[in-house]
Amino acid sequence: ARAALEEILSLLEPEDRFNLIAFGSSHRALFPEPVMADGGHIREATRFVGQLDASMGGTNIGSALDAAYRSGRGDVLLITDGEVWNDEGVLVPARRSGKRIFTVGVGSSVSEAFVRELAEQTGGACELVSPREDMAERIVRHFRRMDQPRAVRVNVEWPVAAGRQLPEAVDAVYGG
């Protein structure tokens, strides 16, 4: 995840605005509000990412997302490896936020149903990464989706009658 965040920081354009919020039992924002992606802020963010580790305790996603909602316009990229204990307490404010949330569930203990639902309820997308996969490449690819419009009204036409299609309906599709 650290390598992916470093690459994402290198992909930001100077006119982009961003912030990083680390979370566990509590959350900590790097900047009080989103900042321009200029050289100084990117260097500071790179140092912040280099110091990240999984020692912040539990998985209080709700307070970290609330901080992201208050921090300005734009979509949210959520990378988590944890279980969530208060799904509805997170989903309702997420829907109200008006932000698309792109979720990345990392590892074998992530609450897959929650990260999928959070992305679907907000018009984002979900990516799941197992411990044996190239995590950085998958996270960066998912980040690139955030700049793309979401294709809606997707219809799949099979050359012959399909016995079964899963999922039954395609909700949204992003390139990549």
Side-chain angles (χ1 to χ4, degrees):
R2 188 177 295 121
L5 288 172
E6 289 170 352
E7 186 172 345
I8 287 169
L9 288 169
S10 75
L11 294 171
L12 294 175
E13 299 291 331
E15 64 275 4
D16 290 335
R17 297 180 67 77
F18 78 101
N19 201 354
L20 298 174
I21 302 171
F23 66 95
S25 297
S26 62
H27 70 275
R28 179 173 50 120
L30 174 58
F31 303 109
E33 60 187 31
V35 296
M36 300 302 287
D38 59 36
H41 290 127
I42 295 295
R43 282 189 295 280
E44 192 172 348
T46 301
R47 281 192 297 275
F48 181 81
V49 167
Q51 296 169 359
L52 287 177
D53 58 27
S55 66
M56 291 184 69
T59 306
N60 188 355
I61 289 174
S63 70
L65 285 172
D66 287 342
Y69 305 150
R70 290 190 306 270
S71 73
R73 299 183 326 252
D75 296 330
V76 175
L77 176 65
L78 172 69
I79 304 170
T80 182
D81 65 351
E83 292 282 344
V84 178
W85 51 269
N86 184 11
D87 293 14
E88 250 339 277
V90 175
L91 291 172
V92 171
R95 285 190 298 267
R96 289 184 187 145
S97 75
K99 297 184 182 295
R100 295 186 310 170
I101 302 175
F102 290 76
T103 60
V104 180
V106 175
S108 54
S109 67
V110 70
S111 177
E112 179 180 342
F114 170 76
V115 291
R116 282 191 188 284
E117 184 74 10
L118 183 59
E120 288 173 10
Q121 292 280 326
T122 61
C126 175
E127 183 84 25
L128 298 171
V129 185
S130 74
R132 293 172 294 284
E133 295 179 278
D134 183 353
M135 184 183 306
E137 185 272 327
R138 299 276 302 273
I139 293 171
V140 171
R141 181 179 69 197
H142 200 53
F143 169 76
R144 291 177 191 265
R145 290 182 181 126
M146 294 173 72
D147 279 337
Q148 300 177 7
R150 179 174 83 150
V152 293
R153 295 187 195 103
V154 175
N155 184 36
V156 178
E157 293 186 22
W158 300 101
V160 296
R164 188 171 178 190
Q165 176 181 310
L166 294 174
E168 291 179 8
V170 179
D171 182 41
V173 177
Y174 289 90

